[in-house]
Amino acid sequence: MIVAEQKPIEDIKRMLKGKQKVLAVGCGTCVAVCFAGGKRETGVLSSALRMATELEGAPVQVDESMVQRQCEPEYIEALGELLGEYDAILSLGCGVGVQTLAEHFPDMQILPALNTKFMGGPVQ
């Protein structure tokens, strides 16, 4: 399992500068288990970014989506139908998920919202 943590919100806000509409994409596997990028974390981060950018006078529309695994192309293909209306994808996946999104959608800017820390496994 990959273990990750969310980047500081100030770093993520800097990445969003100049963007109007962003799709935050969570991942339902490893980063969901370590509470960094699952459905709940994607919702909380998206809401925080909407509020913060609004308060700063440069609102960014941050919509949310989830995939089961960002690291496998068959799970991210459906995102292609949504992307025409977005400036960027904010990935709440590990580094492998970010790379897979970038390879699969080469014309879309992929912004990493997490820092991948290490591979981990359950202890007995």
Side-chain angles (χ1 to χ4, degrees), residues 16-112:
L16 297 182
K17 287 262 193 243
K19 308 288 185 278
Q20 299 290 316
K21 192 171 180 183
V22 175
L23 182 64
V25 179
C27 185
T29 313
C30 300
V31 296
V33 172
C34 66
F35 305 112
K39 183 174 180 144
R40 181 177 170 273
E41 295 80 23
T42 301
V44 169
L45 177 61
S46 297
S47 181
L49 289 169
R50 286 189 293 268
M51 287 188 289
T53 59
E54 179 74 32
L55 288 171
E56 293 172 359
V60 177
Q61 180 178 334
V62 182
D63 295 334
E64 304 159 28
S65 186
M66 279 293 297
V67 296
Q68 185 58 37
R69 290 188 194 101
Q70 283 188 22
C71 60
E72 295 187 34
E74 60 268 22
Y75 289 98
I76 63 172
E77 284 179 11
L79 293 174
E81 299 169 11
L82 304 172
L83 298 183
E85 57 187 274
Y86 293 98
D87 300 322
I89 293 175
L90 181 64
S91 170
L92 279 88
C94 70
V96 178
V98 171
Q99 289 175 338
T100 303
L101 286 170
E103 289 170 0
H104 203 76
F105 304 113
D107 296 331
M108 178 62 58
Q109 186 176 18
I110 311 299
L111 307 171

